[in-house]
């Protein structure tokens, strides 16, 4: 018996229909919430999500083959770094290519055994502040600028803002679930 794939699974190289289902699930999670409000609130929410946990708890996955809380935080930091590049490429270039990346490989090769979440929280907060400041200054015409994502096709900055906000919400839920599983 195989384990069903979560609607929020996002594997590098997924088939286009799977990628579109993932995007639809993300956007449904955000609903009509203001993406900028979510983006602003996430750094503090991440700190609350891991408050009081030991390094052992932060490093423990909820199940074999799943990420630990530390790995989720590092993934969010990596994602914010990649997003920073993408957002700026869209603003500075006309219809630039936006490369995908293998998030599992980044965790495996960059953060596999790093339970120290303080650097991840600090880096995420710094990158997020810069990105929110950028988004707050955008005109409607700038929000409509597009890049060509390698897996998802044409995406506007407005759409990317919504995706990143929804991504935050999904991972905050994941952190709560892991915390409950590891005894936090």
């Amino acid at each position: 018996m195989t384990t069903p794939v979560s609607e929020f699974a996002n594997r590098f190289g997924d088939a286009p229909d799977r990628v579109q289902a993932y995007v639809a699930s993300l956007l449904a999670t955000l609903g009509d919430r203001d993406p900028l409000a979510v983006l602003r609130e996430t750094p503090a929410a991440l700190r609350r999500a891991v408050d009081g946990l030991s390094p052992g708890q932060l490093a423990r996955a909820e199940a074999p083959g799943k990420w630990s809380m530390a790995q989720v935080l590092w993934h969010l930091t990596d994602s914010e770094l990649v997003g920073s590049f993408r957002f700026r490429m869209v603003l500075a270039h006309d219809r630039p290519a936006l490369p995908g990346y293998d998030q599992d490989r980044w965790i495996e090769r960059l953060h596999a055994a790093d339970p120290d979440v303080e650097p991840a929280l600090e880096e995420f907060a710094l990158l997020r502040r810069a990105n929110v400041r950028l988004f707050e200054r955008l005109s409607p015409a700038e929000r409509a600028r597009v890049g060509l994502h390698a897996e998802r096709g044409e995406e506007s900055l407005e759409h990317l803002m919504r995706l990143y906000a929804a991504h935050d919400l999904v991972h905050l839920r994941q952190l709560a679930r892991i915390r409950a599983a590891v005894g936090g």
Side-chain angles (χ1 to χ4, degrees), residues 23 90 98 145-147 149 152-157 159-160 163:
V23 169
V90 171
L98 303 176
R145 291 184 61 83
V146 298
H149 190 280
R152 300 187 305 252
E154 187 175 280
E155 294 183 325
S156 69
L157 277 174
H159 180 74
L160 286 168
L163 285 181

Side-chain angles (χ1 to χ4, degrees), residues 84-134:
S84 296
F85 169 76
R86 289 173 177 165
F87 309 146
R88 285 154 181 80
M89 286 295 291
V90 171
L91 281 171
H93 300 272
D94 293 329
R95 299 176 56 81
L98 303 176
Y101 72 104
D102 187 334
Q103 65 186 16
D104 294 310
R105 185 167 288 170
W106 282 44
I107 289 299
E108 175 188 321
R109 294 188 177 173
L110 303 176
H111 313 292
D114 192 355
D116 184 5
V117 299
E118 192 56 36
L121 291 167
E122 290 173 4
E123 291 171 28
F124 178 86
L126 178 68
L127 290 163
R128 179 53 61 85
R129 275 194 307 274
N131 289 332
V132 165
R133 191 172 62 248
L134 179 75

Side-chain angles (χ1 to χ4, degrees), residues 1-2 5 7-8 13 20 37 45 49 67 83 85 112 119 153 163-164 172 183:
M1 182 174 175
T2 60
V5 175
E7 66 185 306
F8 298 111
Q20 292 309 313
W67 285 350
F85 169 76
L163 285 181
Y164 272 75
L172 284 165

Side-chain angles (χ1 to χ4, degrees), residues 5-138:
V5 175
S6 165
E7 66 185 306
F8 298 111
N10 182 29
R11 302 283 182 229
F12 186 71
D14 273 348
D17 61 329
R18 177 74 204 106
V19 172
Q20 292 309 313
Y22 166 73
V23 169
S25 293
L26 281 179
L27 295 176
T29 298
L30 181 63
D32 61 0
R33 290 187 64 181
D34 175 15
L36 268 175
V38 172
L39 294 170
R40 283 186 200 104
E41 295 162 5
T42 299
L46 292 175
R47 283 207 174 270
R48 287 190 303 273
V50 299
D51 187 46
L53 296 177
S54 70
Q57 289 170 310
L58 292 167
R60 191 174 314 127
E62 64 184 310
K66 298 289 189 177
W67 285 350
S68 68
M69 292 183 82
Q71 289 171 317
V72 171
L73 291 174
W74 281 112
H75 162 67
L76 285 165
T77 301
D78 290 340
S79 179
E80 198 68 15
L81 178 66
V82 171
S84 296
F85 169 76
R86 289 173 177 165
F87 309 146
R88 285 154 181 80
M89 286 295 291
V90 171
L91 281 171
H93 300 272
D94 293 329
R95 299 176 56 81
L98 303 176
Y101 72 104
D102 187 334
Q103 65 186 16
D104 294 310
R105 185 167 288 170
W106 282 44
I107 289 299
E108 175 188 321
R109 294 188 177 173
L110 303 176
H111 313 292
D114 192 355
D116 184 5
V117 299
E118 192 56 36
L121 291 167
E122 290 173 4
E123 291 171 28
F124 178 86
L126 178 68
L127 290 163
R128 179 53 61 85
R129 275 194 307 274
N131 289 332
V132 165
R133 191 172 62 248
L134 179 75
F135 291 146
E136 289 171 337
R137 297 189 324 245
L138 295 178

